[in-house]
């Protein structure tokens, strides 16, 4: 069986990447520091994903899997050396802690003369994560192995759109390895980042130029969630799926996403209807309740939703080749400036 490794056995690692690798015929090795979770994964050799929609619930068993403690650098490096594909989902701030272990695994491959490429998909909320992490690994790697890394190791940017809410304490006590997710499982990745040809992974879409997918995620997915959250909060709704029953909010949210879609279509010229299909695919995730989510609607941080200190509508209006009248985005911006959730400290900065 083909081998894969995932750094981070949390919501995205187990709830998304593990499923895709497993369904593609790979045994999955997780590297993490959560010992109760590691024990649960090793005890069963598998774990359960619960796929939830408003209409139905299905459970899928993911396996075979095993788990290693991230602190056991030798074991993790040896596991990586035997893999052809891997991913990180550790949080951008933790990349520096795993870079030496990845470098050790690359060194083992170089010493063994492994010619088959190894590609690592960076699933982090960090712009240019692949290039940044590649430099970290190179810095930790002996100089004589730099040429091997350049020719045999790929660092690949990705966009994550699957929603994975945190488990309630009660559910975690019953099964710490359980993950509750939406069925959506598309993984766009940067084709240019691969060493060799991209492998066949369920749900994975290698694409170039990859900026199309990063902007699609930012200006359609993130902006849509933000507009829904801001408008829903103003009308007193607690959750996004509740706000979408309000037709005014539904059409303004949908309109904001379509404004972005028109602008992106003019910039990238994707196949006809592709962006509207993406909006249709995202609609169920906006409408479904999310166990364990207790903040209002899906988007409470205006400065960080778009990666800049402005609400997302401004960013959409600035896209090259725009000339789209962003009526619904402007409504979302106004609602964002009125957003006053007490836990959102960054809101004061946005208003200034």
């Amino acid at each position: 069986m083909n081998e894969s490794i995932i750094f981070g056995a949390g919501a995205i690692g187990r709830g998304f990447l593990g499923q895709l690798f497993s369904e593609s015929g790979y045994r999955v090795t997780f590297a993490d520091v959560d010992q109760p979770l590691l024990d649960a994964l090793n005890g069963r050799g598998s774990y359960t994903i619960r796929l939830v929609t408003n209409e139905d619930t299905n459970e899928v068993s993911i396996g075979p899997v095993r788990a290693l403690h991230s602190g056991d650098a030798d074991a993790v490096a040896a596991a990586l050396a035997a893999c052809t594909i891997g991913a990180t989902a550790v949080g951008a701030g933790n990349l520096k802690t795993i870079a030496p272990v990845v470098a050790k695994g690359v060194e083992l491959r170089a010493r063994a003369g492994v010619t088959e490429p190894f590609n690592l998909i960076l699933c982090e909320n960090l712009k240019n994560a692949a290039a940044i992490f590649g430099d970290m690994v190179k810095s930790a790697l002996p100089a004589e192995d730099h040429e091997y890394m350049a020719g045999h190791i790929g660092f690949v940017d990705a966009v994550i759109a699957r929603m994975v809410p945190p488990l309630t304490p009660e559910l975690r006590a019953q099964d710490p390895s359980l993950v509750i997710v939406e069925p959506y499982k598309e993984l766009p990745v940067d084709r240019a980042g691969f060493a060799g040809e991209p492998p066949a992974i369920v749900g994975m879409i290698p694409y170039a130029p990859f900026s199309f997918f990063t902007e699609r995620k930012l200006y359609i997915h993130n902006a849509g969630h933000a507009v829904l959250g801001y408008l829903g909060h103003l009308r007193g709704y607690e959750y996004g799926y509740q706000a979408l029953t309000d037709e005014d909010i539904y059409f303004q949210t949908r309109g904001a996403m379509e404004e972005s879609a028109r602008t992106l279509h003019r910039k990238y010229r994707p196949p006809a209807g592709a962006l509207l299909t993406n909006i249709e695919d995202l609609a169920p995730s906006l409408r479904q309740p999310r166990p364990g989510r207790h903040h209002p609607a899906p988007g409470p941080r205006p400065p960080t939703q778009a990666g800049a200190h402005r609400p997302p509508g401004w960013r959409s209006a600035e896209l090259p080749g725009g000339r789209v009248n962003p009526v619904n985005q402007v409504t979302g911006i106004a609602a964002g400036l009125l957003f006053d959730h007490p836990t959102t400290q960054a809101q004061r900065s946005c208003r200034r």
Side-chain angles (χ1 to χ4, degrees):
M1 176 172 273
N2 294 327
E3 297 286 341
S4 66
I5 187 167
I6 298 174
F7 291 87
I12 297 302
R14 288 194 333 283
F16 189 33
L17 303 168
Q19 181 186 7
L20 300 190
F21 288 174
S22 178
E23 290 181 354
S24 304
Y26 290 83
R27 182 173 78 151
V28 180
T29 297
F30 290 103
D32 202 279
V33 296
D34 184 339
Q35 194 60 55
L37 175 58
L38 302 181
D39 292 341
L41 293 171
N42 285 325
R44 290 169 48 187
S46 65
Y47 65 95
T48 299
I49 285 183
R50 185 175 297 167
L51 302 168
V52 178
T53 69
N54 281 351
E55 294 77 32
D56 201 8
T57 298
N58 293 299
E59 292 194 349
V60 178
S61 180
I62 305 300
V65 304
R66 64 170 181 151
L68 301 171
H69 195 284
S70 297
D72 189 348
D74 290 340
V76 176
L80 184 151
C83 295
T84 56
I85 189 73
T88 76
V90 297
N94 294 316
L95 286 174
K96 61 182 179 294
T97 66
I98 67 170
V101 182
V102 173
K104 189 174 182 65
V106 172
E107 184 180 355
L108 290 175
R109 293 174 68 88
R111 297 290 178 270
V114 179
T115 58
E116 190 172 9
F118 171 75
N119 289 290
L120 190 66
I121 302 170
L122 279 293
C123 302
E124 311 294 346
N125 187 22
L126 176 67
K127 186 177 181 181
N128 299 322
I132 291 170
F133 187 67
D135 287 343
M136 291 180 183
V137 173
K138 185 176 180 180
S139 296
L141 194 65
E144 60 265 30
D145 295 323
H146 287 183
E147 184 177 351
Y148 176 86
M149 188 180 102
H152 298 84
I153 309 298
F155 297 94
V156 183
D157 280 315
V159 168
I160 304 297
R162 173 177 264 190
M163 296 293 183
V164 187
L167 279 185
T168 63
E170 294 79 13
L171 286 174
R172 180 171 172 80
Q174 294 173 20
D175 180 1
S177 70
L178 173 69
V179 193
I180 299 176
V181 302
E182 62 176 343
Y184 182 87
K185 59 175 183 180
E186 182 181 282
L187 178 64
V189 295
D190 183 6
R191 175 181 285 274
F194 283 91
E197 285 298 309
I201 301 294
V202 170
M204 189 176 82
I205 305 172
Y207 194 87
F210 193 58
S211 56
F212 168 73
F213 275 103
T214 58
E215 291 181 6
R216 191 189 76 169
K217 168 67 159 50
L218 185 63
Y219 302 130
I220 295 180
H221 182 275
N222 287 16
H225 277 76
V227 171
L228 172 61
Y230 304 145
L231 293 174
H233 179 71
L234 284 182
R235 290 207 170 176
Y237 294 105
E238 186 176 6
Y239 296 106
Y241 74 92
Q242 296 168 336
L244 279 176
T245 62
D246 185 317
E247 288 197 353
D248 289 339
I249 293 176
Y250 170 79
F251 285 114
Q252 286 173 325
T253 299
R254 173 82 185 213
M257 298 167 79
E258 291 181 356
E259 287 162 4
S260 292
R262 288 198 296 275
T263 305
L264 288 169
H265 181 79
R266 292 178 181 181
K267 181 178 179 180
Y268 290 103
R269 298 296 178 185
L275 290 167
L276 290 180
T277 298
N278 177 243
I279 292 174
E280 292 297 336
D281 288 343
L282 292 172
S285 75
L286 290 171
R287 290 193 178 96
Q288 53 193 40
R290 310 217 187 281
R293 289 188 76 153
H294 300 296
H295 57 258
R301 292 183 292 279
T304 57
Q305 278 285 354
H309 293 286
R310 286 175 287 178
W314 267 308
R315 302 297 297 165
S316 177
E318 289 173 356
L319 280 172
R323 298 188 303 279
V324 170
N325 187 16
V327 174
N328 295 288
Q329 296 254 352
V330 169
T331 303
I333 292 169
L337 294 173
L338 293 173
F339 190 80
D340 60 353
H341 195 264
T343 64
T344 309
Q345 297 179 358
Q347 181 62 25
R348 291 189 291 274
S349 169
C350 182
R351 286 180 176 176
R352 288 197 298 269

